[in-house]
Amino acid sequence: MTERTGRVVLALALAGGVLTGCARADGAAAPAGTVAPGGSVAFDLFTHCGIDEARIGSAWFEAEEPLSDGSGNPPAGWGNPVQHGTMTLRSAAEAVFTDDAGHRVVFRVRPRATGFKRLCA
């Protein structure tokens, strides 16, 4: 499959798929509603081991700038194990998490990813 074909498939999957959040080490994800690129949905971001990745629909995204306290936990001011907020799918390749506390994290799709980069206990 060419990279362009892969991007088209990903875009279609995200546009018609379910936006999910709160991914856990066991790979499960809690449904959070349906959203197309440009749309937003309530989202529980898994923060227990820091803010680094998010599963959105069937795609795996990584934080543009991962956040942690240096010991593998979320930074001060973040919920643990999750932070409640909103995920906005800006395009098939970019999503932005925001919340009422003023946090903002940009996520970019990890092409060809099939799971989290690392599992958290």
PDB file of all heavy atoms in Angstrom, residues 47-62:
ATOM      1  N   THR A  47      -3.938   9.679  31.071  1.00  0.00           N
ATOM      2  CA  THR A  47      -2.786  10.468  31.511  1.00  0.00           C
ATOM      3  C   THR A  47      -1.891   9.734  32.502  1.00  0.00           C
ATOM      4  O   THR A  47      -0.866  10.259  32.904  1.00  0.00           O
ATOM      5  CB  THR A  47      -3.261  11.764  32.190  1.00  0.00           C
ATOM      6  OG1 THR A  47      -4.048  11.414  33.342  1.00  0.00           O
ATOM      7  CG2 THR A  47      -4.071  12.623  31.243  1.00  0.00           C
ATOM      8  N   HIS A  48      -2.283   8.542  32.914  1.00  0.00           N
ATOM      9  CA  HIS A  48      -1.631   7.853  34.025  1.00  0.00           C
ATOM     10  C   HIS A  48      -0.109   7.773  33.903  1.00  0.00           C
ATOM     11  O   HIS A  48       0.597   7.908  34.883  1.00  0.00           O
ATOM     12  CB  HIS A  48      -2.220   6.455  34.199  1.00  0.00           C
ATOM     13  CG  HIS A  48      -1.643   5.701  35.351  1.00  0.00           C
ATOM     14  ND1 HIS A  48      -1.808   6.130  36.654  1.00  0.00           N
ATOM     15  CD2 HIS A  48      -0.901   4.587  35.406  1.00  0.00           C
ATOM     16  CE1 HIS A  48      -1.181   5.282  37.460  1.00  0.00           C
ATOM     17  NE2 HIS A  48      -0.634   4.337  36.728  1.00  0.00           N
ATOM     18  N   CYS A  49       0.402   7.576  32.722  1.00  0.00           N
ATOM     19  CA  CYS A  49       1.858   7.480  32.523  1.00  0.00           C
ATOM     20  C   CYS A  49       2.403   8.695  31.783  1.00  0.00           C
ATOM     21  O   CYS A  49       3.414   8.614  31.082  1.00  0.00           O
ATOM     22  CB  CYS A  49       2.201   6.200  31.771  1.00  0.00           C
ATOM     23  SG  CYS A  49       1.844   4.726  32.742  1.00  0.00           S
ATOM     24  N   GLY A  50       1.730   9.825  31.919  1.00  0.00           N
ATOM     25  CA  GLY A  50       2.110  11.025  31.198  1.00  0.00           C
ATOM     26  C   GLY A  50       1.227  11.181  29.972  1.00  0.00           C
ATOM     27  O   GLY A  50       0.447  10.295  29.633  1.00  0.00           O
ATOM     28  N   ILE A  51       1.345  12.313  29.323  1.00  0.00           N
ATOM     29  CA  ILE A  51       0.531  12.599  28.150  1.00  0.00           C
ATOM     30  C   ILE A  51       1.412  12.411  26.928  1.00  0.00           C
ATOM     31  O   ILE A  51       2.314  13.215  26.676  1.00  0.00           O
ATOM     32  CB  ILE A  51      -0.054  14.030  28.197  1.00  0.00           C
ATOM     33  CG1 ILE A  51      -1.035  14.164  29.356  1.00  0.00           C
ATOM     34  CG2 ILE A  51      -0.779  14.359  26.900  1.00  0.00           C
ATOM     35  CD1 ILE A  51      -0.445  14.598  30.635  1.00  0.00           C
ATOM     36  N   ASP A  52       1.198  11.301  26.210  1.00  0.00           N
ATOM     37  CA  ASP A  52       2.074  10.959  25.091  1.00  0.00           C
ATOM     38  C   ASP A  52       1.315  10.431  23.881  1.00  0.00           C
ATOM     39  O   ASP A  52       1.733  10.674  22.757  1.00  0.00           O
ATOM     40  CB  ASP A  52       3.105   9.918  25.549  1.00  0.00           C
ATOM     41  CG  ASP A  52       4.160   9.636  24.501  1.00  0.00           C
ATOM     42  OD1 ASP A  52       4.468  10.529  23.699  1.00  0.00           O
ATOM     43  OD2 ASP A  52       4.677   8.511  24.483  1.00  0.00           O
ATOM     44  N   GLU A  53       0.220   9.710  24.104  1.00  0.00           N
ATOM     45  CA  GLU A  53      -0.483   9.070  22.992  1.00  0.00           C
ATOM     46  C   GLU A  53      -1.988   9.115  23.195  1.00  0.00           C
ATOM     47  O   GLU A  53      -2.462   9.275  24.312  1.00  0.00           O
ATOM     48  CB  GLU A  53      -0.061   7.607  22.875  1.00  0.00           C
ATOM     49  CG  GLU A  53       1.418   7.416  22.611  1.00  0.00           C
ATOM     50  CD  GLU A  53       1.766   5.951  22.506  1.00  0.00           C
ATOM     51  OE1 GLU A  53       1.642   5.423  21.393  1.00  0.00           O
ATOM     52  OE2 GLU A  53       2.123   5.357  23.529  1.00  0.00           O
ATOM     53  N   ALA A  54      -2.714   8.939  22.098  1.00  0.00           N
ATOM     54  CA  ALA A  54      -4.165   8.841  22.154  1.00  0.00           C
ATOM     55  C   ALA A  54      -4.630   7.955  21.010  1.00  0.00           C
ATOM     56  O   ALA A  54      -4.097   8.026  19.906  1.00  0.00           O
ATOM     57  CB  ALA A  54      -4.814  10.223  22.034  1.00  0.00           C
ATOM     58  N   ARG A  55      -5.605   7.130  21.300  1.00  0.00           N
ATOM     59  CA  ARG A  55      -6.221   6.322  20.252  1.00  0.00           C
ATOM     60  C   ARG A  55      -7.505   7.029  19.848  1.00  0.00           C
ATOM     61  O   ARG A  55      -8.401   7.245  20.667  1.00  0.00           O
ATOM     62  CB  ARG A  55      -6.525   4.923  20.762  1.00  0.00           C
ATOM     63  CG  ARG A  55      -7.127   4.054  19.675  1.00  0.00           C
ATOM     64  CD  ARG A  55      -7.342   2.658  20.177  1.00  0.00           C
ATOM     65  NE  ARG A  55      -7.981   1.861  19.145  1.00  0.00           N
ATOM     66  CZ  ARG A  55      -8.480   0.668  19.356  1.00  0.00           C
ATOM     67  NH1 ARG A  55      -8.407   0.117  20.556  1.00  0.00           N
ATOM     68  NH2 ARG A  55      -9.041   0.005  18.381  1.00  0.00           N
ATOM     69  N   ILE A  56      -7.589   7.378  18.582  1.00  0.00           N
ATOM     70  CA  ILE A  56      -8.756   8.090  18.072  1.00  0.00           C
ATOM     71  C   ILE A  56      -9.323   7.243  16.950  1.00  0.00           C
ATOM     72  O   ILE A  56      -8.686   7.075  15.913  1.00  0.00           O
ATOM     73  CB  ILE A  56      -8.375   9.493  17.582  1.00  0.00           C
ATOM     74  CG1 ILE A  56      -7.726  10.276  18.739  1.00  0.00           C
ATOM     75  CG2 ILE A  56      -9.600  10.215  17.038  1.00  0.00           C
ATOM     76  CD1 ILE A  56      -7.161  11.619  18.327  1.00  0.00           C
ATOM     77  N   GLY A  57     -10.497   6.686  17.179  1.00  0.00           N
ATOM     78  CA  GLY A  57     -11.058   5.727  16.231  1.00  0.00           C
ATOM     79  C   GLY A  57     -10.133   4.537  16.146  1.00  0.00           C
ATOM     80  O   GLY A  57      -9.743   3.964  17.155  1.00  0.00           O
ATOM     81  N   SER A  58      -9.729   4.182  14.955  1.00  0.00           N
ATOM     82  CA  SER A  58      -8.801   3.064  14.786  1.00  0.00           C
ATOM     83  C   SER A  58      -7.378   3.558  14.549  1.00  0.00           C
ATOM     84  O   SER A  58      -6.502   2.770  14.236  1.00  0.00           O
ATOM     85  CB  SER A  58      -9.242   2.196  13.604  1.00  0.00           C
ATOM     86  OG  SER A  58      -9.247   2.970  12.419  1.00  0.00           O
ATOM     87  N   ALA A  59      -7.150   4.859  14.713  1.00  0.00           N
ATOM     88  CA  ALA A  59      -5.822   5.432  14.469  1.00  0.00           C
ATOM     89  C   ALA A  59      -5.114   5.741  15.787  1.00  0.00           C
ATOM     90  O   ALA A  59      -5.739   6.052  16.794  1.00  0.00           O
ATOM     91  CB  ALA A  59      -5.947   6.702  13.644  1.00  0.00           C
ATOM     92  N   TRP A  60      -3.809   5.667  15.742  1.00  0.00           N
ATOM     93  CA  TRP A  60      -2.962   5.945  16.899  1.00  0.00           C
ATOM     94  C   TRP A  60      -2.276   7.287  16.672  1.00  0.00           C
ATOM     95  O   TRP A  60      -1.653   7.524  15.641  1.00  0.00           O
ATOM     96  CB  TRP A  60      -1.933   4.834  17.081  1.00  0.00           C
ATOM     97  CG  TRP A  60      -2.596   3.510  17.252  1.00  0.00           C
ATOM     98  CD1 TRP A  60      -2.898   2.603  16.283  1.00  0.00           C
ATOM     99  CD2 TRP A  60      -3.073   2.952  18.460  1.00  0.00           C
ATOM    100  NE1 TRP A  60      -3.544   1.518  16.815  1.00  0.00           N
ATOM    101  CE2 TRP A  60      -3.658   1.701  18.156  1.00  0.00           C
ATOM    102  CE3 TRP A  60      -3.066   3.381  19.785  1.00  0.00           C
ATOM    103  CZ2 TRP A  60      -4.220   0.883  19.120  1.00  0.00           C
ATOM    104  CZ3 TRP A  60      -3.627   2.557  20.745  1.00  0.00           C
ATOM    105  CH2 TRP A  60      -4.197   1.322  20.413  1.00  0.00           C
ATOM    106  N   PHE A  61      -2.403   8.171  17.642  1.00  0.00           N
ATOM    107  CA  PHE A  61      -1.818   9.504  17.577  1.00  0.00           C
ATOM    108  C   PHE A  61      -0.789   9.653  18.681  1.00  0.00           C
ATOM    109  O   PHE A  61      -0.894   9.028  19.739  1.00  0.00           O
ATOM    110  CB  PHE A  61      -2.898  10.572  17.776  1.00  0.00           C
ATOM    111  CG  PHE A  61      -3.808  10.771  16.600  1.00  0.00           C
ATOM    112  CD1 PHE A  61      -4.715   9.795  16.215  1.00  0.00           C
ATOM    113  CD2 PHE A  61      -3.772  11.954  15.882  1.00  0.00           C
ATOM    114  CE1 PHE A  61      -5.569   9.991  15.135  1.00  0.00           C
ATOM    115  CE2 PHE A  61      -4.613  12.166  14.799  1.00  0.00           C
ATOM    116  CZ  PHE A  61      -5.510  11.180  14.426  1.00  0.00           C
ATOM    117  N   GLU A  62       0.217  10.519  18.438  1.00  0.00           N
ATOM    118  CA  GLU A  62       1.188  10.809  19.487  1.00  0.00           C
ATOM    119  C   GLU A  62       1.236  12.307  19.710  1.00  0.00           C
ATOM    120  O   GLU A  62       1.005  13.094  18.781  1.00  0.00           O
ATOM    121  CB  GLU A  62       2.566  10.261  19.132  1.00  0.00           C
ATOM    122  CG  GLU A  62       3.185  10.803  17.881  1.00  0.00           C
ATOM    123  CD  GLU A  62       4.466  10.075  17.510  1.00  0.00           C
ATOM    124  OE1 GLU A  62       5.140   9.550  18.397  1.00  0.00           O
ATOM    125  OE2 GLU A  62       4.776  10.041  16.316  1.00  0.00           O
TER     126      GLU A  62
END
